[in-house]
Amino acid sequence: SVVAITSDSVKQVDTWFGRYSRNVKGAGSGVVFDKNQEKIYILTNNHVIADTKAFSVTFNDGESAEGKGRGTAAYSDIAVVEVKTSDLKKSTLESIKTAKLGSSDKLKVGQMVLAIGNALGYGQSLTVGYLSAKERAVTVEEITLKLIQTDAAINPGNSGGALINMDGELIGINSVKLTDKSIEGMGYAIPVDSIKGLVEELKTAEPVK
């Protein structure tokens, strides 16, 4: 259910000689939450695909295909992307599973959780930790969200990946990590119960141009 997302974007760089554009590769993750005969629908963070020229989605068997934005909600840092089934091999389609949704509202502090994602762009990896707190108010780029806090390692590239409980159910979308010399083990995920309705709206939205 968990995929890797690799993006191409253009970054403006200021130097003594003026400003120029530089192509930048980005790495993120996503979670398959629905599929039909024509499309695979993937949930990720908005910041994973924002300002990208193009991005590809790599599935668990290593096969990749072009991804397209379906709908985005910057205020919730959520995006839905799609991949055409016609762009994938039969064996890849057969290996793709939709994530089973759990309930983030029923979580208890201290229970064990797992984080899965494309850490550092190396491919899928898994880390283990505990649910440290619920409804933590975290502000990033002037947007405040109430998030799940965990000490499971969440590194660059994990954004958009899955936070699951010990029953294998999706309970959160990994989003941010606080970093500082004095900070350790403070990662955050968007609780699934807070975005279920929004995800369905984004899935049926007009495709992002």
Side-chain angles (χ1 to χ4, degrees):
S1 300
V2 182
V3 301
I5 298 176
T6 304
S7 63
D8 291 307
S9 60
V10 176
K11 183 177 181 180
Q12 300 297 320
V13 180
D14 292 315
T15 70
W16 290 104
F17 306 102
R19 172 173 291 190
Y20 70 95
S21 299
R22 180 165 62 94
N23 291 327
V24 178
K25 287 277 188 184
S29 306
V31 182
V32 177
F33 71 93
D34 198 5
K35 63 178 181 176
N36 56 37
Q37 291 185 340
E38 296 181 350
K39 302 283 180 64
I40 307 294
Y41 295 99
I42 298 160
L43 179 60
T44 187
N45 288 138
N46 178 67
H47 73 258
V48 169
I49 65 166
D51 303 320
T52 59
K53 295 189 300 180
F55 61 90
S56 64
V57 178
T58 303
F59 295 88
N60 65 311
D61 63 350
E63 290 294 315
S64 298
E66 178 186 10
K68 290 192 175 181
R70 183 75 199 186
T72 61
Y75 59 88
S76 294
D77 196 22
I78 286 297
V80 171
V81 303
E82 62 183 27
V83 174
K84 293 181 180 178
T85 56
S86 58
D87 292 338
L88 297 169
K89 298 190 307 183
K90 181 180 178 181
S91 59
T92 301
L93 290 172
E94 291 174 346
S95 73
I96 296 171
K97 307 297 182 184
T98 56
K100 182 180 179 181
L101 297 185
S103 173
S104 55
D105 289 343
K106 295 180 180 179
L107 295 174
K108 295 182 179 180
V109 173
Q111 74 177 76
M112 188 173 286
V113 293
L114 310 173
I116 306 175
N118 180 27
L120 303 180
Y122 292 158
Q124 303 295 0
S125 63
L126 177 146
T127 56
V128 182
Y130 295 91
L131 194 145
S132 305
K134 299 170 62 176
E135 296 189 352
R136 288 290 200 209
V138 179
T139 302
V140 179
E141 294 183 357
E142 299 182 354
I143 297 175
T144 300
L145 300 173
K146 288 188 176 181
L147 306 176
I148 298 167
Q149 181 185 331
T150 178
D151 65 348
I154 295 176
N155 294 295
N158 273 124
S159 292
L163 187 71
I164 64 175
N165 60 24
M166 298 309 291
D167 293 321
E169 298 170 332
L170 182 69
I171 55 173
I173 297 297
N174 299 325
S175 184
V176 296
K177 176 184 179 181
L178 294 187
T179 57
D180 190 274
K181 290 181 179 180
S182 61
I183 296 175
E184 184 176 349
M186 296 187 71
Y188 297 90
I190 300 169
V192 292
D193 283 337
S194 70
I195 57 172
K196 286 179 178 177
L198 174 60
V199 170
E200 287 303 315
E201 289 181 20
L202 296 180
K203 175 187 167 186
T204 57
E206 287 296 317
V208 178
K209 301 297 183 181

